[in-house]
Amino acid sequence: MNKEEISAELAGNLLLGGELSVNRLGYGAMRLTGLGIWGPPRHRQRALAVLRLAVELGVNFIDTADSYGPHVSEELIAEALFPYPKDLVIATKGGWNRPGPNQWTHDASPSHLRKAVEGSLARLRLDRIDVYQLHIPDPVISFDHSMETLAELREEGKIRLVGLSNVTQEHIERARRIVPIVSVQNRYSFADREWDYVVDYCQRNGIAFIPWFPLAAGRVAGEVLDRIAEAHGASPTQIALAWLLQRSSTMLPIPGTSSTEHLEENVAAALIRLSEEEYEELSGVRELVGTR
C-alpha cells in the first residue's frame, strides 16, 4: 500500500453539532507524552513528526486533554501545527488533575474548569476551543454545576462546542438540558461493549461517539481478530478500527500512537471493508469474553 493511497478521508465524515465537518478517523494525542502519561516525550522530534504526518494523512480531528503530561500534549500540538490548517478541529478536555505518573484526581469544580479552559486556550494558542469535553464527572461536585460552567464558557465565546467523556446515558440527558452535546467519549471496542446502549443513543441523536482503547480483547476475541486480519492481509488493530467504523455512522475513532509507522497503519484501516459475516462474527465476540 502506497502512502499516497492512505487518507482519513476514506473513512467518511460527520458533522459535529451541525457546524464542524471532520473525517471519521481522528488521532488521540495522549501517547505523545512521557511514560505514565507524564512529562515530555523521550523523543520530542518524533512526537512532532507524528502530529504533522497525521494532518498530511487527512486527519482533521485531534483529541487531547490538559491532564496529558500534564499540559505536554497540548503544547506539542501547538508547536507542531500552529498556525493550524483551516479544517483542523482540536478537541481537549478538563476536569482531571495529574499529581504524578499514572495518577489522576477529580476536579470538575466551576473554578477549576474556568482555569482549565484558560490554560488550554493559552497552550493551544487559540481564541476559542472547537470542542471542549468534561473529562469525567466529579463524584463530589454537582454534575449540573460543571455543565452550567461549560455552558457559560460557551456563551462567552471561549468554547464553540461541548462534549462529554466517561459518562452514562443519564449524564448525557442531564447535560443536554443545560447545553447542546456534540460528542461522547467512552471506552469501547468490538470486544468491550459495555457502552453499546450509549453508542445507540448517540446514533439516534446525531452525537459523535469517540471510542478510546479500541483494541480491548480477551483470548477468544484475539483469535477471531487474528484470523480475520490474516484474511485481509491487515493487522488486528486495523480490523478492530474497521469494525468500529462500520458499527455506527457517528463513530469517530481516535487511535493514538507515538510512531509514524503505526499512524500510517491506523489511518490505512479506512480502506478496509469487512464482510457482513466478518462484522457479525466480531460483534458476537462479546458474548464469549464479556465486558471490561
Side-chain angles (χ1 to χ4, degrees):
M1 185 182 302
N2 296 324
K3 182 176 175 180
E4 290 73 20
E5 298 174 330
I6 303 172
S7 174
E9 294 180 7
L10 298 175
N13 57 45
L14 59 81
L15 204 58
L16 295 172
E19 297 183 34
L20 298 175
S21 178
V22 296
N23 296 326
R24 277 201 317 129
L25 198 52
Y27 174 74
M30 182 177 75
R31 305 254 170 226
L32 292 180
T33 64
L35 293 176
I37 320 303
W38 182 260
R42 180 177 299 179
H43 303 291
R44 190 177 192 86
Q45 292 306 313
R46 292 183 190 177
L48 298 173
V50 168
L51 287 162
R52 291 168 181 146
L53 179 60
V55 172
E56 290 176 17
L57 295 177
V59 171
N60 61 0
F61 181 85
I62 295 179
D63 178 82
T64 185
D66 64 355
S67 58
Y68 298 164
H71 305 162
V72 172
S73 178
E74 291 181 330
E75 291 167 350
L76 288 169
I77 290 169
E79 182 178 347
L81 301 175
F82 187 86
Y84 301 114
K86 289 184 179 180
D87 67 340
L88 181 64
V89 173
I90 299 175
T92 192
K93 298 182 284 292
W96 249 354
N97 285 323
R98 297 302 312 285
N102 289 317
Q103 298 177 43
W104 310 79
T105 58
H106 293 275
D107 192 348
S109 63
S111 61
H112 175 79
L113 288 174
R114 282 193 165 275
K115 291 177 183 176
V117 167
E118 294 292 350
S120 291
L121 284 167
R123 286 184 293 274
L124 290 167
R125 308 180 200 175
L126 292 170
D127 296 321
R128 180 175 64 173
I129 296 168
D130 284 330
V131 181
Y132 195 85
Q133 306 155 89
L134 180 68
H135 208 147
I136 190 168
D138 189 328
V140 300
I141 297 293
S142 163
F143 178 74
D144 287 2
H145 287 170
S146 298
M147 298 312 303
E148 287 163 0
T149 302
L150 296 186
E152 290 168 3
L153 288 161
R154 178 172 173 265
E155 288 298 316
E156 293 167 16
K158 295 178 180 179
I159 295 171
R160 182 169 183 174
L161 303 171
V162 177
L164 298 170
S165 183
N166 300 298
V167 290
T168 65
Q169 182 175 321
E170 180 188 4
H171 285 122
I172 306 169
E173 291 171 342
R174 285 173 61 187
R176 293 180 75 198
R177 290 194 285 269
I178 298 170
V179 65
I181 298 299
V182 304
S183 65
V184 171
Q185 184 171 161
N186 281 9
R187 190 195 69 237
Y188 189 76
S189 74
F190 80 95
D192 182 2
R193 308 278 290 286
E194 178 180 356
W195 301 110
D196 252 343
Y197 75 102
V198 173
V199 175
D200 292 338
Y201 176 87
C202 289
Q203 175 77 46
R204 292 193 303 271
N205 290 279
I207 298 170
F209 185 89
I210 305 172
W212 58 268
F213 201 23
L215 197 56
R219 181 181 62 81
V220 175
E223 291 174 357
V224 174
L225 194 63
D226 288 345
R227 174 166 48 77
I228 294 176
E230 184 176 359
H232 281 266
S235 71
T237 301
Q238 289 176 318
I239 298 300
L241 290 171
W243 183 89
L244 286 170
L245 291 169
Q246 289 181 224
R247 169 64 176 85
S248 168
S249 62
T250 60
M251 190 75 71
L252 176 54
I254 51 166
T257 179
S258 59
S259 159
T260 53
E261 291 79 9
H262 288 160
L263 174 63
E264 289 184 12
E265 179 182 297
N266 290 339
V267 175
L271 290 163
I272 298 172
R273 297 293 181 270
L274 301 174
S275 69
E276 184 176 346
E277 293 77 13
E278 291 169 334
Y279 175 83
E280 292 300 334
E281 185 175 9
L282 287 167
S283 300
V285 164
R286 64 174 178 162
E287 299 173 3
L288 300 172
V289 302
T291 57
R292 297 179 67 255

